[in-house]
Amino acid sequence: MRVAVTGAAGSIGMAVSAGLAGRGHDVVRLDRVSSDRVRSVDVGDTAALTPLLHGCDAVVHLAGNPHETSLVEALDSHVRVTHGVLEAMCAAGVRRLVYASSNHAVGFTPRNPVLRADTRPRPDTFYGVGKVAAEVLCSLYTDRFGIAAACLRIGSFADRPRTRRDLSTWLSPGDAVRLVDACLTAPDLEFTVLYGISANTRGWWDLEPARALGYRPIDDAEAFAAEILATPKSRDDRFAERYVGGEFCRPDRLGGR
Ligand code: 15L
């Protein structure tokens, strides 16, 4: 497939771009910052993005500010920019989207053994509000314009888990590629919201819908458990014991106030 990746210069973007290319996809790397093999474009600018999407089969939209900001900035980064991407897809005739949403769309949900993707949105931050709204925007473009969309509520993407919470929320680079590729190639995709984590023994998000789409995670944060559990518990660990969003639920984490 010919696949455009937005945010290709970011940490997950670099891993996903390289991994998809390694799996035989023709990857068009896009980002605001130009770097080796990355084309510089403001992906929220539909007119600028459209010509770069011609001939693509799908877009993997990873661009967006990964941090908490004001509500206005969150809506801009996640909703306005995603709208620009969706409009460019319609104009260029691209029919499939994999969107990097976040676990913080449901971060204020109290911890329990398994959290399904069809639980009510419960954002922990303005960042989470932006992600919920962007998921809903994707749903509109599925129903109105027939764009197949998979919204991935990504956990903690990193080379390796570092905190107690990461033992449940880690998404390894290899599994990120496997998840995105499953969403790109699933035959019957319409609109779906999935959790994006590795096969963590302590995972609390329901991976069944992702597995049903063809995701076969390999990594498990448990390999790092002994080392991580030997460190003293932090204040952030205590938030992670209560809420799935962990430290994003701290009172001082709401941005722009
Ligand atoms: C996210 O969505 C953030 O972009 C990232 O910075 C981490 O906080 C991650 O979630 C997480 O929950 O660990």
Side-chain angles (χ1 to χ4, degrees):
M1 291 172 77
R2 186 169 167 84
V3 181
V5 176
T6 75
S11 59
I12 187 162
M14 285 192 285
V16 166
S17 299
L20 293 178
R23 290 177 155 232
H25 295 291
D26 177 12
V27 179
V28 179
R29 295 165 164 86
L30 306 172
D31 205 297
R32 264 196 315 209
V33 274
S34 66
S35 64
D36 188 30
R37 285 182 293 174
V38 177
R39 185 86 186 252
S40 169
V41 62
D42 172 358
V43 299
D45 179 345
T46 299
L49 181 61
T50 301
L52 302 178
L53 296 189
H54 279 301
C56 288
D57 301 296
V59 172
V60 180
H61 178 34
L62 306 174
N65 185 341
H67 305 296
E68 171 64 345
T69 55
S70 68
L71 179 64
V72 169
E73 286 173 276
L75 294 178
D76 184 70
S77 179
H78 307 301
V79 182
R80 183 193 62 79
V81 171
T82 303
H83 174 246
V85 171
L86 286 160
E87 282 292 315
M89 289 177 66
C90 289
V94 184
R95 312 297 301 160
R96 185 172 290 225
L97 175 70
V98 180
Y99 173 59
S101 181
S102 167
N103 73 87
H104 296 290
V106 291
F108 251 126
T109 313
R111 280 269 305 275
N112 58 53
V114 183
L115 182 62
R116 290 164 48 116
D118 60 3
T119 186
R120 87 163 156 96
R122 240 174 142 167
D124 51 29
T125 42
F126 294 135
Y127 171 74
V129 170
K131 291 299 189 184
V132 171
E135 289 177 359
V136 172
L137 186 67
C138 293
S139 171
L140 175 69
Y141 276 70
T142 299
D143 291 332
R144 284 241 170 230
F145 305 111
I147 291 191
C151 299
L152 310 181
R153 288 181 179 161
I154 294 171
S156 307
F157 174 84
D159 284 342
R160 51 151 293 175
R162 302 211 172 268
T163 66
R164 282 174 164 74
R165 178 172 177 270
D166 289 352
L167 294 175
S168 305
T169 61
W170 185 47
L171 176 65
S172 74
D175 284 336
V177 174
R178 283 181 273 278
L179 177 58
V180 169
D181 201 15
C183 295
L184 288 174
T185 53
D188 299 320
L189 182 67
E190 190 185 315
F191 173 82
T192 190
V193 176
L194 305 171
Y195 292 115
I197 55 169
S198 286
N200 304 322
T201 302
R202 298 170 196 241
W204 59 61
W205 284 306
D206 182 12
L207 273 184
E208 279 320 305
R211 288 184 193 276
L213 223 76
Y215 175 46
R216 300 287 175 269
I218 290 177
D219 298 313
D220 184 344
E222 205 58 20
F224 300 87
E227 183 193 329
I228 290 172
L229 295 174
T231 61
K233 264 192 202 174
S234 67
R235 181 178 173 225
D236 287 350
D237 289 329
R238 299 195 194 289
F239 276 91
E241 283 168 2
R242 292 175 59 196
Y243 302 112
V244 300
E247 76 274 14
F248 272 48
C249 299
R250 275 179 5 211
D252 58 329
R253 281 305 296 268
L254 195 62
R257 290 168 66 92

